[in-house]
Amino acid sequence: MITKEMCQIVSHKEIAADIFELTVKANFVGQIKAPGQFVHIRVSNGWDPLLRRPISISSFDKKKNQFTMIYRKEGKGTQLLSQLDTGEVVDILGPLGNGFPVGEVDKGQIALLVGGGIGVPPLYELSKQLTEKGVIVKHVFGFQSESDVFYEKEFSNYGETIVTTVDGSYGVKGLVTDVIKSLSFDCIFTCGPTPMLRAIKQEYSNKKVFLSIEERMGCGIGACFACVCKTGNDPSGNSYKKICSDGPVFRAEEVLI
Amino acid sequence: MNRLNVELPGLKLKNPIMPASGCFGFGREYSQLYDLNLLGAIMIKATTVETRFGNPTPRVAETHAGMLNAIGLQNPGLDKVISEELPWLSQYNVPIIANVAGSVEEEYVEVAREISKSPNVHALELNISCPNVKTGGIAFGTIPEVAKQLTRKVKEVSEVPVYVKLSPNVTNIVEMAKAVEAGGADGLSMINTLVGMKIDIKTGKPILANRTGGLSGPAIKPIAIRMIYEVSQVTNLPIIGMGGIQSAEDVIEFFYAGASAVAVGTANFVDPFVCPSIIEQLPELLEKLGFDHISECTGRSWKQNGQLAYHRS
């Protein structure tokens, strides 16, 4: 059930350079089905910016009716969002989309969680749930530079966490794909920039890989056909998946990226 | 007192509010949010003969008080719309206005002929104004003689009234309206989106993969109002007005300009409940403004006192 709700802000803070952690109270938390779902936020009551902002749910607490999002302050919309204080309310539509299938990996197996930049947050709830299930989780996260790194300690509570930075200012210098090569695992869950997802999809076609894809969205519920991608193995080239409502998480072989 | 029921060719509407084509799919998504029976009508997504994937992504870009889209008429094709989408929609007591698109005259004619046979399709919206496809679409919407000819051909085969959706991307909108009226149109819907572009400040390239897209949202409302104001005075055709409607006040403004019903597009993305909330707010606003019925508002901006219906204020 998708709900539009005025959600009260419980906490809101900057946790890395331009990276904000926002926790709100919402009655629809009980409707969240899986890690990796997202919400659509209206950042202003006016018409500029006009559209909602899709932001992934990074963790939720059904007992407290709260959920947390982590976003990067980048454009006008997230700039406005970042100015909201604890106690204020924000118009949120959610929960939306389909998340990571926790059931696809068994107790005792190894799941590799690979995140790039602002693609890291939805993996947090996933890591928590996989760990609770008895799955061994390993994390590999890529950031531009030291000031961009967040949640390393939080993820470390659940499993081995390797951080890479493009400029080498923190952790391993290089890309996540360089590090993954040396690791053993049964399946991959990943979220991040498309080139990273593409590289992982190509390299590990023999493994179970789940991708969370990002695209510019309109409605966020599947009606406007803005965020579509082509499906794999379709000679006609006409079949498609809607990222907002069929995804944002897909089996790698389901989609062409 | 029902202040909102209106009658237009082929359409007996419980209220004059409908979601605009392309902003509402075939209704399935929004049906998860509210009862579609609340709506006056539904303008379903443009339908072509064959399945169309549409344009590459990115397909949307936000602009000041608006957005650009270049979806490219993605749709499941005529057969699927007739066999799956329309029967699904028939569970609701809401007339459907089917948006008919194509790249050549024959395609428009085929879609119109077949889709107008569906029992819940009460009218067609002839899409001669999509700015986002390379062939067809806008070519039919910018040359009066071509638009007239196409309207005539579609009218010959359609079993229901035909509303022609006008493009604002013309020098003389009045001329286009008169042309399709001469071609036998039963009504007009206006306006479609305005062709625009947004360039990424970092890459220096257009954001949309299609480079250009159609501008919609509050930013285009004054243009829609002006065009409806001009067209409604010189044709006898009823107008379904659209272009940036966000509120009950906007609806009244469209009626004042000359509309007899309205469609809400982009605002559905901002507030998915916008149509039912406008429908709920309208009676109170009409009462405040001194109208017994919304149809009293049509053309008020240009009608002389003698032409105006009784007004209490």
Short mmCIF file of all heavy atoms in Angstrom, two decimals, chain A residues 44-102:
data_model
loop_
_atom_site.label_atom_id
_atom_site.label_comp_id
_atom_site.label_asym_id
_atom_site.label_seq_id
_atom_site.Cartn_x
_atom_site.Cartn_y
_atom_site.Cartn_z
N SER A 44 9.55 20.98 -1.35
CA SER A 44 9.04 22.33 -1.10
C SER A 44 7.55 22.34 -1.36
O SER A 44 7.03 21.52 -2.11
CB SER A 44 9.74 23.35 -2.00
OG SER A 44 9.05 23.49 -3.22
N ASN A 45 6.86 23.28 -0.77
CA ASN A 45 5.42 23.39 -1.02
C ASN A 45 5.14 24.18 -2.28
O ASN A 45 4.02 24.24 -2.75
CB ASN A 45 4.73 24.05 0.17
CG ASN A 45 4.74 23.13 1.37
OD1 ASN A 45 4.64 21.92 1.22
ND2 ASN A 45 4.90 23.70 2.55
N GLY A 46 6.17 24.82 -2.81
CA GLY A 46 6.00 25.64 -4.01
C GLY A 46 6.19 24.81 -5.27
O GLY A 46 6.12 23.58 -5.25
N TRP A 47 6.46 25.50 -6.36
CA TRP A 47 6.57 24.83 -7.65
C TRP A 47 8.00 24.78 -8.17
O TRP A 47 8.22 24.45 -9.32
CB TRP A 47 5.68 25.54 -8.67
CG TRP A 47 4.24 25.48 -8.29
CD1 TRP A 47 3.65 24.56 -7.46
CD2 TRP A 47 3.20 26.34 -8.73
NE1 TRP A 47 2.31 24.80 -7.37
CE2 TRP A 47 2.01 25.89 -8.13
CE3 TRP A 47 3.17 27.44 -9.57
CZ2 TRP A 47 0.79 26.53 -8.35
CZ3 TRP A 47 1.94 28.06 -9.79
CH2 TRP A 47 0.78 27.61 -9.18
N ASP A 48 8.92 25.18 -7.35
CA ASP A 48 10.30 25.18 -7.81
C ASP A 48 11.21 24.82 -6.65
O ASP A 48 11.39 25.63 -5.76
CB ASP A 48 10.66 26.58 -8.36
CG ASP A 48 11.94 26.55 -9.14
OD1 ASP A 48 12.35 25.45 -9.55
OD2 ASP A 48 12.55 27.62 -9.32
N PRO A 49 11.75 23.62 -6.62
CA PRO A 49 11.59 22.55 -7.60
C PRO A 49 10.20 21.94 -7.56
O PRO A 49 9.57 21.91 -6.51
CB PRO A 49 12.65 21.54 -7.23
CG PRO A 49 13.10 21.87 -5.87
CD PRO A 49 12.63 23.22 -5.51
N LEU A 50 9.78 21.43 -8.69
CA LEU A 50 8.43 20.94 -8.86
C LEU A 50 8.27 19.47 -8.47
O LEU A 50 7.35 19.10 -7.76
CB LEU A 50 8.01 21.13 -10.32
CG LEU A 50 6.58 20.76 -10.68
CD1 LEU A 50 5.60 21.73 -10.05
CD2 LEU A 50 6.40 20.76 -12.19
N LEU A 51 9.18 18.65 -8.95
CA LEU A 51 9.01 17.20 -8.80
C LEU A 51 9.50 16.70 -7.45
O LEU A 51 10.30 17.36 -6.78
CB LEU A 51 9.77 16.48 -9.92
CG LEU A 51 9.29 16.80 -11.34
CD1 LEU A 51 10.22 16.14 -12.37
CD2 LEU A 51 7.86 16.33 -11.55
N ARG A 52 9.03 15.52 -7.10
CA ARG A 52 9.52 14.86 -5.90
C ARG A 52 10.92 14.31 -6.12
O ARG A 52 11.35 14.17 -7.26
CB ARG A 52 8.57 13.72 -5.52
CG ARG A 52 7.26 14.21 -4.97
CD ARG A 52 6.23 13.11 -4.79
NE ARG A 52 5.01 13.69 -4.27
CZ ARG A 52 4.72 13.77 -2.96
NH1 ARG A 52 5.52 13.25 -2.07
NH2 ARG A 52 3.62 14.34 -2.56
N ARG A 53 11.60 14.00 -5.03
CA ARG A 53 12.95 13.42 -5.10
C ARG A 53 12.89 11.97 -4.63
O ARG A 53 12.46 11.72 -3.49
CB ARG A 53 13.91 14.17 -4.17
CG ARG A 53 14.56 15.47 -4.64
CD ARG A 53 13.95 16.11 -5.75
NE ARG A 53 14.74 17.17 -6.36
CZ ARG A 53 14.22 18.01 -7.25
NH1 ARG A 53 12.97 17.91 -7.61
NH2 ARG A 53 14.98 18.94 -7.80
N PRO A 54 13.32 11.02 -5.48
CA PRO A 54 13.36 9.63 -5.01
C PRO A 54 14.59 9.42 -4.13
O PRO A 54 15.72 9.75 -4.53
CB PRO A 54 13.48 8.82 -6.30
CG PRO A 54 14.00 9.77 -7.34
CD PRO A 54 13.77 11.17 -6.87
N ILE A 55 14.38 8.91 -2.93
CA ILE A 55 15.50 8.65 -2.01
C ILE A 55 15.30 7.27 -1.40
O ILE A 55 14.19 6.92 -0.96
CB ILE A 55 15.59 9.74 -0.91
CG1 ILE A 55 15.90 11.10 -1.57
CG2 ILE A 55 16.65 9.40 0.13
CD1 ILE A 55 15.99 12.26 -0.61
N SER A 56 16.37 6.49 -1.35
CA SER A 56 16.22 5.12 -0.86
C SER A 56 16.14 5.10 0.67
O SER A 56 16.65 5.97 1.36
CB SER A 56 17.38 4.26 -1.35
OG SER A 56 18.58 4.73 -0.81
N ILE A 57 15.49 4.06 1.15
CA ILE A 57 15.37 3.85 2.59
C ILE A 57 16.64 3.12 3.03
O ILE A 57 16.95 2.05 2.50
CB ILE A 57 14.11 3.00 2.91
CG1 ILE A 57 12.85 3.77 2.48
CG2 ILE A 57 14.07 2.61 4.38
CD1 ILE A 57 11.58 2.91 2.46
N SER A 58 17.37 3.68 3.99
CA SER A 58 18.62 3.02 4.38
C SER A 58 18.42 2.10 5.58
O SER A 58 19.16 1.14 5.75
CB SER A 58 19.72 4.04 4.67
OG SER A 58 19.32 4.91 5.69
N SER A 59 17.43 2.39 6.42
CA SER A 59 17.09 1.47 7.50
C SER A 59 15.71 1.83 8.03
O SER A 59 15.23 2.94 7.80
CB SER A 59 18.12 1.53 8.63
OG SER A 59 18.13 2.79 9.24
N PHE A 60 15.08 0.89 8.69
CA PHE A 60 13.78 1.19 9.27
C PHE A 60 13.57 0.43 10.56
O PHE A 60 14.23 -0.58 10.81
CB PHE A 60 12.64 0.91 8.28
CG PHE A 60 12.59 -0.48 7.74
CD1 PHE A 60 11.95 -1.50 8.44
CD2 PHE A 60 13.18 -0.79 6.53
CE1 PHE A 60 11.89 -2.79 7.93
CE2 PHE A 60 13.13 -2.08 6.01
CZ PHE A 60 12.50 -3.09 6.72
N ASP A 61 12.67 0.97 11.39
CA ASP A 61 12.38 0.37 12.68
C ASP A 61 10.86 0.30 12.81
O ASP A 61 10.20 1.32 13.05
CB ASP A 61 12.99 1.24 13.80
CG ASP A 61 12.80 0.63 15.17
OD1 ASP A 61 11.81 -0.12 15.36
OD2 ASP A 61 13.63 0.92 16.07
N LYS A 62 10.30 -0.89 12.62
CA LYS A 62 8.84 -1.01 12.61
C LYS A 62 8.24 -0.79 13.99
O LYS A 62 7.09 -0.38 14.10
CB LYS A 62 8.42 -2.37 12.05
CG LYS A 62 8.78 -2.50 10.56
CD LYS A 62 7.99 -3.57 9.84
CE LYS A 62 8.39 -3.56 8.37
NZ LYS A 62 7.59 -4.40 7.51
N LYS A 63 9.02 -1.05 15.06
CA LYS A 63 8.48 -0.82 16.41
C LYS A 63 8.31 0.66 16.67
O LYS A 63 7.33 1.10 17.25
CB LYS A 63 9.43 -1.43 17.45
CG LYS A 63 9.21 -2.93 17.62
CD LYS A 63 10.05 -3.48 18.77
CE LYS A 63 10.29 -4.96 18.59
NZ LYS A 63 11.71 -5.33 18.70
N LYS A 64 9.29 1.44 16.25
CA LYS A 64 9.23 2.89 16.50
C LYS A 64 8.51 3.65 15.39
O LYS A 64 8.36 4.87 15.47
CB LYS A 64 10.65 3.45 16.61
CG LYS A 64 11.38 3.09 17.89
CD LYS A 64 12.69 3.89 17.92
CE LYS A 64 13.57 3.53 19.08
NZ LYS A 64 14.94 4.03 18.85
N ASN A 65 8.12 2.93 14.31
CA ASN A 65 7.53 3.60 13.15
C ASN A 65 8.44 4.68 12.58
O ASN A 65 8.02 5.80 12.29
CB ASN A 65 6.17 4.21 13.50
CG ASN A 65 5.03 3.32 13.06
OD1 ASN A 65 5.26 2.33 12.34
ND2 ASN A 65 3.83 3.65 13.45
N GLN A 66 9.72 4.35 12.46
CA GLN A 66 10.68 5.33 11.95
C GLN A 66 11.47 4.71 10.80
O GLN A 66 11.69 3.50 10.77
CB GLN A 66 11.68 5.71 13.05
CG GLN A 66 11.07 6.53 14.15
CD GLN A 66 12.10 6.97 15.17
OE1 GLN A 66 13.28 6.64 15.08
NE2 GLN A 66 11.65 7.72 16.16
N PHE A 67 11.90 5.56 9.89
CA PHE A 67 12.87 5.08 8.91
C PHE A 67 13.89 6.16 8.62
O PHE A 67 13.67 7.34 8.87
CB PHE A 67 12.20 4.55 7.64
CG PHE A 67 11.61 5.61 6.75
CD1 PHE A 67 12.33 6.08 5.65
CD2 PHE A 67 10.35 6.11 6.97
CE1 PHE A 67 11.80 7.03 4.80
CE2 PHE A 67 9.80 7.07 6.13
CZ PHE A 67 10.53 7.54 5.04
N THR A 68 15.03 5.71 8.09
CA THR A 68 16.15 6.62 7.87
C THR A 68 16.53 6.61 6.40
O THR A 68 16.46 5.58 5.72
CB THR A 68 17.35 6.17 8.74
OG1 THR A 68 16.95 6.23 10.10
CG2 THR A 68 18.57 7.06 8.52
N MET A 69 16.86 7.80 5.91
CA MET A 69 17.35 7.95 4.54
C MET A 69 18.71 8.65 4.60
O MET A 69 18.94 9.46 5.50
CB MET A 69 16.41 8.84 3.72
CG MET A 69 15.01 8.30 3.58
SD MET A 69 13.82 9.64 3.32
CE MET A 69 13.46 10.11 4.99
N ILE A 70 19.55 8.33 3.65
CA ILE A 70 20.82 9.05 3.55
C ILE A 70 20.89 9.59 2.13
O ILE A 70 20.70 8.85 1.16
CB ILE A 70 22.01 8.12 3.85
CG1 ILE A 70 21.93 7.68 5.32
CG2 ILE A 70 23.33 8.81 3.57
CD1 ILE A 70 22.84 6.52 5.65
N TYR A 71 21.10 10.89 2.02
CA TYR A 71 21.11 11.49 0.69
C TYR A 71 22.27 12.46 0.55
O TYR A 71 22.85 12.90 1.55
CB TYR A 71 19.78 12.20 0.41
CG TYR A 71 19.52 13.39 1.32
CD1 TYR A 71 19.92 14.67 0.94
CD2 TYR A 71 18.91 13.22 2.56
CE1 TYR A 71 19.70 15.76 1.77
CE2 TYR A 71 18.68 14.31 3.39
CZ TYR A 71 19.08 15.58 3.00
OH TYR A 71 18.87 16.65 3.82
N ARG A 72 22.61 12.77 -0.68
CA ARG A 72 23.67 13.75 -0.93
C ARG A 72 23.05 15.08 -1.32
O ARG A 72 22.20 15.14 -2.22
CB ARG A 72 24.61 13.28 -2.03
CG ARG A 72 25.74 14.29 -2.31
CD ARG A 72 26.87 13.69 -3.08
NE ARG A 72 26.42 13.11 -4.33
CZ ARG A 72 26.96 12.04 -4.90
NH1 ARG A 72 27.97 11.43 -4.33
NH2 ARG A 72 26.49 11.58 -6.02
N LYS A 73 23.48 16.14 -0.66
CA LYS A 73 23.02 17.48 -1.02
C LYS A 73 23.73 17.86 -2.31
O LYS A 73 24.94 18.00 -2.34
CB LYS A 73 23.39 18.46 0.11
CG LYS A 73 22.92 19.88 -0.14
CD LYS A 73 23.21 20.79 1.04
CE LYS A 73 24.64 21.33 0.95
NZ LYS A 73 24.95 22.28 2.04
N GLU A 74 22.96 17.94 -3.37
CA GLU A 74 23.61 18.17 -4.66
C GLU A 74 22.92 19.29 -5.44
O GLU A 74 23.54 20.30 -5.74
CB GLU A 74 23.59 16.88 -5.47
CG GLU A 74 24.62 16.91 -6.58
CD GLU A 74 24.96 15.52 -7.08
OE1 GLU A 74 24.38 14.54 -6.60
OE2 GLU A 74 25.82 15.44 -7.98
N GLY A 75 21.64 19.11 -5.74
CA GLY A 75 20.92 20.15 -6.48
C GLY A 75 20.05 20.98 -5.57
O GLY A 75 20.17 20.91 -4.34
N LYS A 76 19.19 21.75 -6.20
CA LYS A 76 18.31 22.65 -5.47
C LYS A 76 17.38 21.90 -4.49
O LYS A 76 17.14 22.34 -3.37
CB LYS A 76 17.46 23.40 -6.50
CG LYS A 76 16.77 24.60 -5.98
CD LYS A 76 16.18 25.35 -7.15
CE LYS A 76 15.61 26.67 -6.67
NZ LYS A 76 15.20 27.51 -7.80
N GLY A 77 16.86 20.76 -4.95
CA GLY A 77 15.91 20.00 -4.14
C GLY A 77 16.52 19.49 -2.86
O GLY A 77 15.99 19.70 -1.76
N THR A 78 17.65 18.81 -2.97
CA THR A 78 18.28 18.25 -1.78
C THR A 78 18.87 19.37 -0.91
O THR A 78 18.99 19.22 0.30
CB THR A 78 19.36 17.22 -2.16
OG1 THR A 78 20.12 17.72 -3.25
CG2 THR A 78 18.71 15.90 -2.54
N GLN A 79 19.20 20.48 -1.53
CA GLN A 79 19.65 21.66 -0.78
C GLN A 79 18.54 22.12 0.17
O GLN A 79 18.77 22.35 1.36
CB GLN A 79 19.93 22.78 -1.79
CG GLN A 79 20.56 24.02 -1.20
CD GLN A 79 22.04 24.06 -1.50
OE1 GLN A 79 22.48 23.57 -2.52
NE2 GLN A 79 22.80 24.63 -0.59
N LEU A 80 17.33 22.23 -0.37
CA LEU A 80 16.17 22.64 0.44
C LEU A 80 15.88 21.61 1.53
O LEU A 80 15.63 21.96 2.68
CB LEU A 80 14.93 22.79 -0.45
CG LEU A 80 14.83 24.07 -1.25
CD1 LEU A 80 13.67 23.97 -2.25
CD2 LEU A 80 14.62 25.27 -0.33
N LEU A 81 15.95 20.35 1.14
CA LEU A 81 15.67 19.28 2.09
C LEU A 81 16.65 19.36 3.26
O LEU A 81 16.27 19.20 4.42
CB LEU A 81 15.78 17.92 1.38
CG LEU A 81 15.45 16.68 2.19
CD1 LEU A 81 14.01 16.71 2.68
CD2 LEU A 81 15.70 15.41 1.36
N SER A 82 17.91 19.64 2.95
CA SER A 82 18.96 19.63 3.98
C SER A 82 18.75 20.72 5.01
O SER A 82 19.32 20.68 6.10
CB SER A 82 20.34 19.76 3.34
OG SER A 82 20.54 21.08 2.85
N GLN A 83 17.93 21.72 4.68
CA GLN A 83 17.70 22.83 5.63
C GLN A 83 16.61 22.53 6.65
O GLN A 83 16.41 23.30 7.58
CB GLN A 83 17.34 24.10 4.85
CG GLN A 83 18.55 24.67 4.11
CD GLN A 83 18.14 25.65 3.01
OE1 GLN A 83 16.97 26.02 2.91
NE2 GLN A 83 19.10 26.06 2.21
N LEU A 84 15.89 21.43 6.46
CA LEU A 84 14.79 21.12 7.39
C LEU A 84 15.34 20.65 8.74
O LEU A 84 16.33 19.92 8.80
CB LEU A 84 13.87 20.05 6.78
CG LEU A 84 13.10 20.47 5.53
CD1 LEU A 84 12.26 19.30 5.03
CD2 LEU A 84 12.22 21.68 5.81
N ASP A 85 14.64 21.07 9.80
CA ASP A 85 15.08 20.76 11.16
C ASP A 85 14.23 19.67 11.81
O ASP A 85 13.10 19.43 11.40
CB ASP A 85 14.96 22.01 12.05
CG ASP A 85 16.19 22.88 11.94
OD1 ASP A 85 17.26 22.34 11.61
OD2 ASP A 85 16.05 24.11 12.17
N THR A 86 14.78 19.09 12.85
CA THR A 86 14.05 18.16 13.68
C THR A 86 12.73 18.78 14.12
O THR A 86 12.70 19.97 14.47
CB THR A 86 14.89 17.82 14.93
OG1 THR A 86 16.15 17.31 14.48
CG2 THR A 86 14.20 16.78 15.80
N GLY A 87 11.64 18.01 14.05
CA GLY A 87 10.34 18.53 14.46
C GLY A 87 9.51 19.03 13.28
O GLY A 87 8.29 19.04 13.34
N GLU A 88 10.19 19.44 12.21
CA GLU A 88 9.44 19.88 11.02
C GLU A 88 8.88 18.65 10.30
O GLU A 88 9.31 17.53 10.53
CB GLU A 88 10.36 20.67 10.07
CG GLU A 88 10.75 22.03 10.64
CD GLU A 88 11.45 22.90 9.60
OE1 GLU A 88 10.77 23.60 8.85
OE2 GLU A 88 12.70 22.86 9.54
N VAL A 89 7.91 18.91 9.40
CA VAL A 89 7.32 17.78 8.68
C VAL A 89 7.67 17.86 7.20
O VAL A 89 7.93 18.94 6.66
CB VAL A 89 5.79 17.71 8.83
CG1 VAL A 89 5.40 17.32 10.24
CG2 VAL A 89 5.14 19.00 8.42
N VAL A 90 7.69 16.69 6.58
CA VAL A 90 8.02 16.62 5.16
C VAL A 90 7.05 15.64 4.48
O VAL A 90 6.67 14.62 5.06
CB VAL A 90 9.52 16.28 4.96
CG1 VAL A 90 9.91 15.04 5.71
CG2 VAL A 90 9.89 16.16 3.50
N ASP A 91 6.62 16.02 3.29
CA ASP A 91 5.62 15.27 2.52
C ASP A 91 6.31 14.09 1.80
O ASP A 91 7.13 14.30 0.91
CB ASP A 91 4.98 16.26 1.53
CG ASP A 91 3.98 15.62 0.58
OD1 ASP A 91 3.92 14.38 0.49
OD2 ASP A 91 3.28 16.38 -0.11
N ILE A 92 5.98 12.88 2.23
CA ILE A 92 6.66 11.70 1.68
C ILE A 92 5.64 10.70 1.13
O ILE A 92 4.63 10.41 1.75
CB ILE A 92 7.53 11.00 2.75
CG1 ILE A 92 8.56 12.00 3.32
CG2 ILE A 92 8.24 9.78 2.17
CD1 ILE A 92 9.50 11.40 4.35
N LEU A 93 5.93 10.20 -0.07
CA LEU A 93 5.12 9.16 -0.71
C LEU A 93 5.91 7.85 -0.63
O LEU A 93 7.06 7.79 -1.09
CB LEU A 93 4.88 9.56 -2.16
CG LEU A 93 3.98 8.67 -3.02
CD1 LEU A 93 2.52 8.80 -2.59
CD2 LEU A 93 4.13 9.05 -4.49
N GLY A 94 5.29 6.82 -0.05
CA GLY A 94 6.05 5.58 0.03
C GLY A 94 5.26 4.49 0.75
O GLY A 94 4.12 4.72 1.14
N PRO A 95 5.82 3.32 0.94
CA PRO A 95 7.09 2.90 0.37
C PRO A 95 6.91 2.51 -1.10
O PRO A 95 5.86 2.02 -1.47
CB PRO A 95 7.47 1.67 1.21
CG PRO A 95 6.16 1.14 1.72
CD PRO A 95 5.21 2.30 1.81
N LEU A 96 7.94 2.72 -1.90
CA LEU A 96 7.83 2.48 -3.34
C LEU A 96 8.84 1.44 -3.82
O LEU A 96 9.91 1.26 -3.22
CB LEU A 96 8.07 3.79 -4.10
CG LEU A 96 7.12 4.96 -3.76
CD1 LEU A 96 7.56 6.24 -4.45
CD2 LEU A 96 5.69 4.63 -4.15
N GLY A 97 8.48 0.79 -4.92
CA GLY A 97 9.41 -0.13 -5.59
C GLY A 97 9.59 -1.45 -4.87
O GLY A 97 8.97 -1.74 -3.84
N ASN A 98 10.43 -2.26 -5.46
CA ASN A 98 10.76 -3.58 -4.92
C ASN A 98 12.21 -3.61 -4.50
O ASN A 98 13.07 -3.19 -5.25
CB ASN A 98 10.50 -4.65 -5.97
CG ASN A 98 9.06 -4.66 -6.42
OD1 ASN A 98 8.18 -5.04 -5.66
ND2 ASN A 98 8.80 -4.19 -7.62
N GLY A 99 12.45 -4.16 -3.32
CA GLY A 99 13.80 -4.13 -2.76
C GLY A 99 14.62 -5.37 -3.04
O GLY A 99 14.29 -6.17 -3.93
N PHE A 100 15.68 -5.53 -2.27
CA PHE A 100 16.60 -6.67 -2.42
C PHE A 100 15.95 -7.94 -1.87
O PHE A 100 15.41 -7.93 -0.76
CB PHE A 100 17.90 -6.41 -1.67
CG PHE A 100 18.74 -5.32 -2.28
CD1 PHE A 100 18.82 -4.06 -1.68
CD2 PHE A 100 19.47 -5.55 -3.44
CE1 PHE A 100 19.61 -3.06 -2.23
CE2 PHE A 100 20.25 -4.55 -3.99
CZ PHE A 100 20.33 -3.31 -3.39
N PRO A 101 16.01 -9.04 -2.62
CA PRO A 101 15.40 -10.29 -2.15
C PRO A 101 16.32 -11.02 -1.16
O PRO A 101 17.21 -11.78 -1.55
CB PRO A 101 15.23 -11.09 -3.44
CG PRO A 101 16.29 -10.57 -4.36
CD PRO A 101 16.63 -9.19 -3.94
N VAL A 102 16.07 -10.79 0.12
CA VAL A 102 16.88 -11.41 1.18
C VAL A 102 16.79 -12.94 1.10
O VAL A 102 17.75 -13.65 1.41
CB VAL A 102 16.40 -10.88 2.56
CG1 VAL A 102 17.12 -11.58 3.70
CG2 VAL A 102 16.60 -9.37 2.65
#
